[in-house]
Amino acid sequence: SIYNEAVKAGHPDRVFQFASTSKITFAGAGVACLSASKANLEVYLKTLAVQTIGYDKVNQLLHARYLKNYDHLIAHMKKHAAILRPKFQLVDEILSEQLDGLGIATWTKPLGGYFINFVAPKGAAKRIVELCGKAGVKLTPAGAAFPYGIDPEDAQIRIAPSYPSLEELRTASELLCLCTKMAALEQLI
């Protein structure tokens, strides 16, 4: 726990930890929580008291009733994993088959979460997204994971494989590889 480490180092007030059920239950309507030192929570609660009229108690009750306990939460997340794992594996398989060893891209192989971080050649991410878009595949905007969406190296693309079907994902991943090769070649020319 980062909080425990901060306490050991004598700095318990340096850590705020946030969590949400947004990607667990219903995006945009999840229940959020905050973990921090007692002093930080006291300051936060004073600020929150003037920022909100009241909490969404109905939504909190729905979550408390649905996510009955820790074991139920884990079982629910295993269902998510069963849906998402094949999609992430397919993207990794296609990227590996078509781009591995070319020296023009790297990507993460997440063990959880909803995104793959794809690193294109410097200065090529926007062009790759543009090429994919022209071919009919909408990608997350290049640099989306950066503040204000500005990637100073124009190299990062966040891949979100959770929504498309496996068939659509295969086509989109193959197109991403082709567009990455095209953008890399354009840079060489």
Side-chain angles (χ1 to χ4, degrees):
S1 163
I2 191 169
Y3 178 74
N4 291 341
E5 294 303 314
V7 169
K8 285 181 197 174
H11 301 288
D13 298 333
R14 288 193 178 169
V15 176
F16 286 82
Q17 295 178 107
F18 299 89
S20 167
T21 64
S22 183
K23 296 282 195 293
I24 297 171
T25 54
F26 188 70
V31 175
C33 61
L34 164 68
S35 170
S37 69
K38 184 176 180 180
N40 284 341
L41 287 175
E42 288 172 2
V43 171
Y44 178 77
L45 289 174
K46 285 179 189 175
T47 304
L48 186 64
V50 297
Q51 291 180 338
T52 185
I53 294 169
Y55 307 102
D56 185 350
K57 295 173 189 77
V58 172
N59 197 29
Q60 290 175 345
L61 179 61
L62 289 171
H63 278 77
R65 287 185 175 168
Y66 181 72
L67 300 172
K68 297 170 181 55
N69 55 41
Y70 180 76
D71 291 334
H72 185 256
L73 172 66
I74 296 302
H76 182 71
M77 293 306 293
K78 286 181 179 180
K79 291 177 186 176
H80 280 303
I83 294 167
L84 292 174
R85 185 176 296 111
K87 294 179 177 195
F88 278 77
Q89 287 172 338
L90 177 64
V91 172
D92 182 60
E93 174 186 306
I94 292 168
L95 294 176
S96 295
E97 286 173 1
Q98 296 196 22
L99 298 176
D100 215 13
L102 297 180
I104 60 171
T106 59
W107 55 94
T108 58
K109 298 177 184 193
L111 300 176
Y114 288 84
F115 303 106
I116 296 168
N117 186 49
F118 183 83
V119 183
K122 289 180 185 178
K126 288 180 183 172
R127 179 65 175 145
I128 293 166
V129 170
E130 176 189 10
L131 290 168
C132 286
K134 286 181 179 180
V137 171
K138 174 90 169 132
L139 294 177
T140 304
F146 285 78
Y148 307 106
I150 300 170
D151 172 3
E153 295 187 341
D154 184 24
Q156 307 277 332
I157 300 171
R158 188 169 62 177
I159 301 171
S162 56
Y163 180 75
S165 68
L166 286 172
E167 183 179 322
E168 293 169 328
L169 200 52
R170 176 175 297 284
T171 301
S173 298
E174 289 172 349
L175 183 67
L176 172 64
C177 292
L178 177 62
C179 292
T180 300
K181 292 172 185 176
M182 288 173 60
L185 284 172
E186 287 175 359
Q187 285 186 334
L188 289 175
I189 295 171

